[in-house]
Amino acid sequence: MCGIVGALATRDITQVLVQGLQRLEYRGYDSAGVAVVDENGDVQRRRKQGKVKNLEKLISEQPLSGFCGISHTRWATHGVPSQANAHPHVCNDIALVHNGIIENHEELRKQQIQQGHEFDSETDTEVIVHAVYDAWKVVGDLLAAVQSTIKQLNGAYALGVIEKNKNGRMIAARKGSPLVIGLGDGEFFIASDVFALLGEASKFIYLEDGDVADITLDGVIIYDASGKQVTRPITETELKADNVGLGKYRHYMQKEIFEQAAALKRTIEGRIENGRLSDSCFGEDANEAFKTIEEVQIVACGTSFHAGMVSKYWFESLAGLPCSVEVASEFRYRPHVVNKKTLFVTISQSGETADTLAALQASSALGYEHTLSICNVPESSLVRGSQWHLMTKAGLEIGVASTKAFTTQLAALLMLVVALGKHKNISKKQETDIVRQLEILPEKVAEVLRLEPEIICFADQFEDKNNALFLGRGEQYPVAMEGALKLKEITYIHAEAYPAGELKHGPLALVDEHMPIVAVAPNNDLLEKLKSNLQEVQARGGKLFVFADKKASFEEVEGLSLIRVSEIDDVIAPIIYTIPLQLLAYHVAVIKGTDVDQPRNLAKSVTVE
């Protein structure tokens, strides 16, 4: 989940590398480092524990400059966060950065120690740079040395490698971890994400698994896993560097919460015609194949898993299609019984989530004939590996705690429910009704965002709390799960979610005057059941914080704090009720003074298993 940036130009590229790292801190912020080839052709390195700003300060105190370089911001896997474990790692005249995990690093390390190598770090990465150096001593060429080395590696990697060389040369390689080449005006870059290179390059080459790229000022030559020279397509991005500022907001998470109305509008735009879902929404061939689908299997992780859980209720109650939802890291490691007429759906914000990608790659061998991804990044590995896809169009999401990605995933999934359901249980009238609710979603989101001042009052009461319970029933249960995840991610309060009816089967033992209980209460068929569950909490002195439909008959009594949400149709209620929970988590984090956008121990794009 680390971030890589590399550059090769005829100018000093040190600041380009540091700025790129700042944009990639969502991938990791335990330590950071940079290595450049200076005007004498020598490799110079600076590393620092902590965030990129610490590295930037170090460079201001100990300047370096160079025309060719690599840099890295780390999310620790092997070895604690420290300067010694920070990348780039160096062996004599070669420097290397790495994203991924090398599974046979212990075996390689033992061999290299026996050969006389000395290690400065605890990382799996250091074995790679030693292996490259050993190969380089034999073959005398950096490209051949990297190609030889990667044959020894088991696991996932994205690599950037430079050497002592006055002419400038950078080698890039990938397997299982994303890496992109940016094309500038006579300049070349590499990065884990296009976002790092905005303003420096607008055209990009996405390396495929097994690719090795030889980058010099003369151009880029790419070799595939067999060593054959290949051509990869050049794409352009629509992202703009001027879209990434905070504006009037204090944190990216807050900004992204308030961008949800516009994001949902983009998700829906162009996919509805005359009050119905467009037949071309997923592609003409998809629409024809959807007629044969009998089941849906959803695989995802984290927040995306919660989106899938919500959609299970929709698929079964609206479309009449059996739907299974599973965490990708579990799905990979168990036997499966597969109905070939099952649509295999993967969900990921980044499209680079390692476990989800691995599940997709295994789907064909398991017997799934059709695959579809719901994703926010058009050029991602998940999209490129799926038969069909639907882009959420959420826009760039920088905050580690996902917000607009989740609600746009829900909107996309609801469209998929309609696309499949109209061949099963959904009538034309029902389709029209659901589409109408999708069309008014941005307006309803704007309404619920106006509750922020009241939510801040709720948040004030969480300042000294260490635990919290979240409750929901039906499709609001996974909404409660997502609310609990947001709170624990950015406030470090231990939070758990339960179906409200499960309270009496164990969790009620936790309830006392110190335990806040957050509940979502739309005005649906389960409201009275939910109210009975909440009375069980009140009877035991629990403090309730309830988000309820204006027409739900709640009265504010001692021990129950209430925020009224405008009347909402059941079908879009999960999307709307998610937003107050996002705001609650955000404002509790602000009150507690935590690092909202970069919470401890986490990274946004989980590209390692």
Side-chain angles (χ1 to χ4, degrees), residues 467-481:
N467 301 282
L469 292 177
F470 283 68
L471 304 177
R473 295 203 69 143
E475 62 266 38
Q476 295 296 335
Y477 166 48
V479 170
M481 293 170 69

Side-chain angles (χ1 to χ4, degrees), residues 462-571:
F462 283 73
E463 183 176 7
D464 61 345
K465 303 303 182 187
N466 297 312
N467 301 282
L469 292 177
F470 283 68
L471 304 177
R473 295 203 69 143
E475 62 266 38
Q476 295 296 335
Y477 166 48
V479 170
M481 293 170 69
E482 175 63 12
L485 176 62
K486 289 284 101 53
L487 192 71
K488 71 179 76 169
E489 279 180 315
I490 63 170
T491 72
Y492 317 143
I493 292 174
H494 174 243
E496 298 296 336
Y498 289 92
E502 278 293 293
L503 274 175
K504 63 181 72 69
H505 298 289
L508 207 54
L510 297 171
V511 173
D512 60 19
E513 67 273 17
H514 304 296
M515 174 71 77
I517 294 96
V518 181
V520 283
N523 189 24
N524 59 23
D525 293 343
L526 289 170
L527 177 62
E528 293 306 317
K529 299 287 186 185
L530 174 66
K531 288 168 70 175
S532 296
N533 302 139
L534 299 185
Q535 285 168 1
E536 295 166 0
V537 171
Q538 287 178 286
R540 287 155 180 84
K543 177 68 173 173
L544 283 165
F545 297 86
V546 181
F547 296 93
D549 188 289
K550 284 183 176 178
K551 289 197 172 181
S553 53
F554 276 96
E555 292 183 12
E556 288 202 52
V557 295
E558 188 174 350
L560 189 153
S561 299
L562 191 66
I563 289 181
R564 300 282 186 181
V565 179
S566 61
E567 190 176 359
I568 300 158
D569 189 277
D570 278 356
V571 74

Side-chain angles (χ1 to χ4, degrees), residues 184-238:
D185 186 8
E187 302 177 334
F188 302 92
F189 309 88
I190 63 170
S192 301
D193 190 325
V194 165
F195 179 42
L197 303 178
L198 294 181
E200 303 296 338
S202 59
K203 294 182 179 180
F204 300 92
I205 298 171
Y206 291 85
L207 294 179
E208 300 288 342
D209 258 11
D211 283 355
V212 179
D214 187 4
I215 306 169
T216 66
L217 289 173
D218 293 326
V220 178
I221 301 174
I222 301 173
Y223 302 88
D224 66 13
S226 69
K228 178 183 176 183
Q229 187 173 330
V230 293
T231 300
R232 300 299 185 206
I234 297 173
T235 63
E236 294 192 39
T237 183
E238 297 178 2

Side-chain angles (χ1 to χ4, degrees), residues 135-142 163 169:
W136 179 82
K137 285 191 300 181
V138 174
V139 299
D141 177 74
L142 188 62
E163 64 179 342
R169 190 184 195 187

Side-chain angles (χ1 to χ4, degrees), residues 241-256 258-259 398 586 597:
D242 55 4
N243 292 336
V244 300
L246 278 170
K248 65 181 181 180
Y249 297 101
R250 186 171 175 180
H251 298 95
Y252 281 106
M253 182 179 179
Q254 184 186 31
K255 178 176 183 259
E256 288 153 11
F258 277 84
E259 287 176 340
I398 296 172
Y586 170 75
D597 289 330

